[in-house]
Amino acid sequence: MNPQANETHKQRIHAIASVTQGAPSNEKGAGARRAFPTLLLAAFFAALLMALISGVTVYKAVSADQQASSAQREGAGLICNVVRANDSKGAIAQGQGPEGKSLVVVEPLDSGTYETRFYLYEGKVVQEYSLAGSGYTPEKATEVTASDTFDFSYSDGLLAVTTDQGTAEVALRYMQGGA
């Protein structure tokens, strides 16, 4: 090989090697250009982290609202659903539970008259299904919801049931001329 071609070949190899090794450039701002990808990656990471944190916060708020709504439906809402399902003439009455008044839903059947009783007992609203006229047995009752309050009122065809979770209302059809 001729010496001049050999020298040109060495210069080319040296140029390629300096590019692949990321040889420092004498140009102004070369350090900033190398730092840009790292800074960009850090900015994306920070943005993703903030999105994750805000997503978790929103999820917690939605979940808490859903649980509060569910608790209200389980409490007074369940009682109103039982009343609505048994809405007929003479089906709703007031009784005396162990810790105050009780809401009684009367069901006359061929086998006898039965009552579904809702009342407050030891910090809970409970539901008891018994033969009409029998005594209250809160030990056998089923817990509807935890509540320190249980009250109900009836006015203008509207029954309002109040627990710690709020007040639920149900319109009694039979009082408005329904069956």
Side-chain angles (χ1 to χ4, degrees), residues 1-162:
M1 220 190 223
N2 99 31
Q4 190 179 11
N6 193 18
E7 186 61 35
T8 306
H9 182 64
K10 284 183 181 178
Q11 287 176 346
R12 287 182 187 163
I13 290 177
H14 180 61
I16 291 172
S18 67
V19 168
T20 59
Q21 292 175 359
S25 173
N26 292 337
E27 294 179 27
K28 217 175 190 183
R33 269 189 267 137
R34 272 190 300 249
F36 179 73
T38 305
L39 291 174
L40 185 62
L41 182 64
F44 278 127
F45 179 73
L48 286 174
L49 187 60
M50 295 300 283
L52 179 66
I53 290 170
S54 66
V56 168
T57 303
V58 168
Y59 178 79
K60 281 183 180 180
V62 168
S63 179
D65 286 347
Q66 186 178 19
Q67 284 179 337
S69 175
S70 178
Q72 184 171 359
R73 280 192 304 260
E74 289 172 359
L78 172 71
I79 297 168
C80 287
N81 286 339
V82 170
V83 168
R84 187 177 294 120
N86 294 290
D87 187 10
S88 64
K89 189 169 186 170
I92 309 303
Q94 179 177 324
Q96 186 59 40
E99 296 181 11
K101 66 182 184 176
S102 66
L103 178 63
V104 180
V105 179
V106 180
E107 296 178 70
L109 302 172
D110 293 338
S111 59
T113 302
Y114 293 88
E115 297 176 343
T116 302
R117 305 166 179 164
F118 294 97
Y119 54 91
L120 191 62
Y121 182 70
E122 294 182 350
K124 298 177 275 206
V125 176
V126 295
Q127 174 183 3
E128 178 183 339
Y129 189 74
S130 297
L131 189 59
S134 65
Y136 283 72
T137 53
E139 307 79 37
K140 295 181 181 178
T142 305
E143 179 180 343
V144 174
T145 187
S147 179
D148 290 324
T149 14
F150 175 71
D151 192 25
F152 58 94
S153 61
Y154 177 77
S155 176
D156 297 323
L158 189 66
L159 177 69
V161 179
T162 303

